[in-house]
Amino acid sequence: MVDLIMKDILGTPAILVGLFALIGLLVQRKNSGDVVSGTLKTVMGFVILNAGANVLVQSLGQFSSMFDEAFAVEGVIPNNEAIVALAQESFGTETAMIMLFGMIVNIILARFSPFKYIFLTGHHTMFMACLIAVILTTGGFSGASVIILGSIILGALMVLSPAMLQPFTRKVTGSDDFAVGHFGSIGYFVSACVGKSVGKGSKSTEEIKVPKSLGFLRDTSVSVSLTMVILFFIVAGFAGPSFVEAELSGGQNFLVFAFMQGLTFAAGVYIILAGVRMLLGEIVPAFKGIADKVVPNAKPALDAPAIFPFAGNAVIIGFLCSFVAGLVSMLFLPLLGLSVIVPGLVPHFFTGAAAGVFGNATGGRRGAVFGSMANGIMISFLPALLLPVLGSLGFQGTTFGDADFGVVGIVLGNLIRLIQSNMIVGSAILGLLALLFLLGWKTKTNENKSDIDAA
């Protein structure tokens, strides 16, 4: 039963988001037709988004195989799903309990603090719960102390992470309707700050002017298709026709295969954007019910692709620049005595694209380029620094990929390593979270004051 609720229901983002939409519509006393329609369309929006992600991941998987063959790359590939699957065998119960109570802490904090964010990216909630459970348990915590401390840490992160990004999210979307709930947020925050510092006077990526004869490139689907087809052609050429046709394409000509994979990638992006539009069209109005009754002024914190439709060019620029930064980082990691982190295309696409959108919002084209490159460096070095913490637990072959997992894991792991007393460790963690809340509270108060002065 616990597995059914935690893994199959609450661990499935589409169902989790649908449940919140259902509650919101019921609280608003909508008629049965609106409740059924709104709930199903919310779930469908997420299912469409995931379907697009799967298409895209499949295409990137073929690209990775060709890339590995072409350049003989060896190293650790960060993979959240792989490490969580390994950890579940030993830490499944702790992960489930921390996830459940962490979500409750999230709602309580949203109700009684100025940070009104309900984190709805269920799979990232589970990944973070797993990371916290592993580090606390192997650090000597056990029983109720793991669940209580882990739930507080997770619940706090679920409001602090969207709150940290919200000033920039407002700049991206031009509204305050929703927040970004994704544990790559530190990378996006850094990207936005980098954009702010380097992008003065730089035009938006969405204002890129092209000659009339190339006007068709303004269509995001066309420009993404061409970009990815060219990339696939280059990598397929280096991998060689014999490898592609024998191992990947089932005998299909390697250039035709590369062409179709480039278009498949573009189709995945198109499907994701369609799913996001449907999801936002339903979840935002449905959430009004929860905002009015349970958590006044609550905002849904949604997965990172929710911001992709607001800057289509920045999505592709961010992905490519983050990936390039990941490749360059590979050269420096061994020089610093760290393991080589092979840039995974999936994390570089999703977090690089989001970083590009945030960088563009604060610093235009220069912000998108340098901000997403900063994200690419972070998701190369942070997993390498996290690897020793997890390596001592028997997970040497893989590690978490996105920036927040690296920061949280490194801080928690080193606190436990340096301080022998669990009671002092617990107090230090709670003190650190309280400090972050106070800093965020003060920042928010100053922002509100500036808004009032400006008005």
Side-chain angles (χ1 to χ4, degrees), residues 415-437:
L415 267 178
I416 289 173
R417 185 174 62 83
L418 293 172
I419 304 173
Q420 299 302 315
S421 165
N422 285 349
M423 185 173 290
I424 297 177
V425 170
S427 302
I429 291 170
L430 294 177
L432 182 60
L433 291 174
L435 178 64
L436 291 174
F437 265 95

Side-chain angles (χ1 to χ4, degrees), residues 16 98-107 109-110 115-122 124-126 128 151-163 180-183 301 437:
L16 181 64
I98 289 175
M99 183 179 171
L100 174 63
F101 290 107
M103 293 168 76
I104 294 172
V105 172
N106 176 193
I107 293 172
L109 289 174
F115 309 122
K116 308 292 183 185
Y117 306 104
I118 307 293
F119 197 98
L120 294 177
T121 309
H124 261 219
T125 306
M126 186 169 74
M128 187 60 84
S151 302
I152 293 172
I153 295 171
L154 180 62
L157 293 173
M158 290 167 79
V159 293
L160 286 173
S161 171
V180 171
H182 190 267
F183 286 131
F437 265 95

